[in-house]
Amino acid sequence: MAYDEVLAHRIREILADEPDLTERAMFGGLGFMLSGHMAAAAGSGGDVMVRVDPADAAEHHASGLVEPMIMRGKEMAGWMEAPADAVATDEALAQVVGWGVAYVRTLPPKVKKPKAR
């Protein structure tokens, strides 16, 4: 199943003024990359995956907007998931995406390595 196109458009609007923004289809979703780091992703069911500082995860969870990201039964440190109903308003979506932007902007930009010949 493809990612939620309406949600992707809403995220694009939030990130419109961000420099070094790219998009990448992955795992059935659409990742929004800033300087090579994924800040957020639109999922197929309207859910949003967001990258956060692991030290702030409990605080973000307490907001009631996001849950820890679980993959293959294991909690993924630094990744949270917001269900569609939690990001139904533009304000809530902007807050969740903003957490991802704030965190990835603390990371050094990724540099593409030349391919070995």
Side-chain angles (χ1 to χ4, degrees):
M1 182 177 213
Y3 60 87
D4 183 318
E5 299 225 14
V6 172
L7 175 62
H9 177 73
R10 291 174 62 212
I11 294 172
R12 273 189 205 102
E13 287 182 338
I14 292 166
L15 298 175
D17 293 331
E18 290 292 331
D20 300 324
L21 173 65
T22 57
E23 298 178 13
R24 183 175 299 161
M26 54 179 65
F27 310 113
L30 183 66
F32 292 87
M33 320 287 281
L34 299 173
S35 299
H37 296 282
M38 186 163 60
S44 60
D47 57 315
V48 176
M49 185 172 71
V50 63
R51 188 167 185 189
V52 300
D53 185 334
D56 297 335
E59 179 183 339
H60 295 315
H61 186 228
S63 74
L65 294 173
V66 293
E67 296 289 330
M69 183 77 186
I70 308 294
M71 291 186 104
R72 295 188 188 127
K74 183 178 177 183
E75 187 173 324
M76 304 302 293
W79 294 95
M80 307 290 287
E81 186 171 25
D85 61 338
V87 292
T89 68
D90 291 339
E91 294 79 17
L93 180 61
Q95 183 175 4
V96 169
V97 171
W99 293 334
V101 170
Y103 180 60
V104 300
R105 288 297 183 208
T106 68
L107 304 173
K110 286 190 175 181
V111 179
K112 287 188 176 182
K113 296 178 183 175
K115 292 183 180 179
R117 291 185 185 226

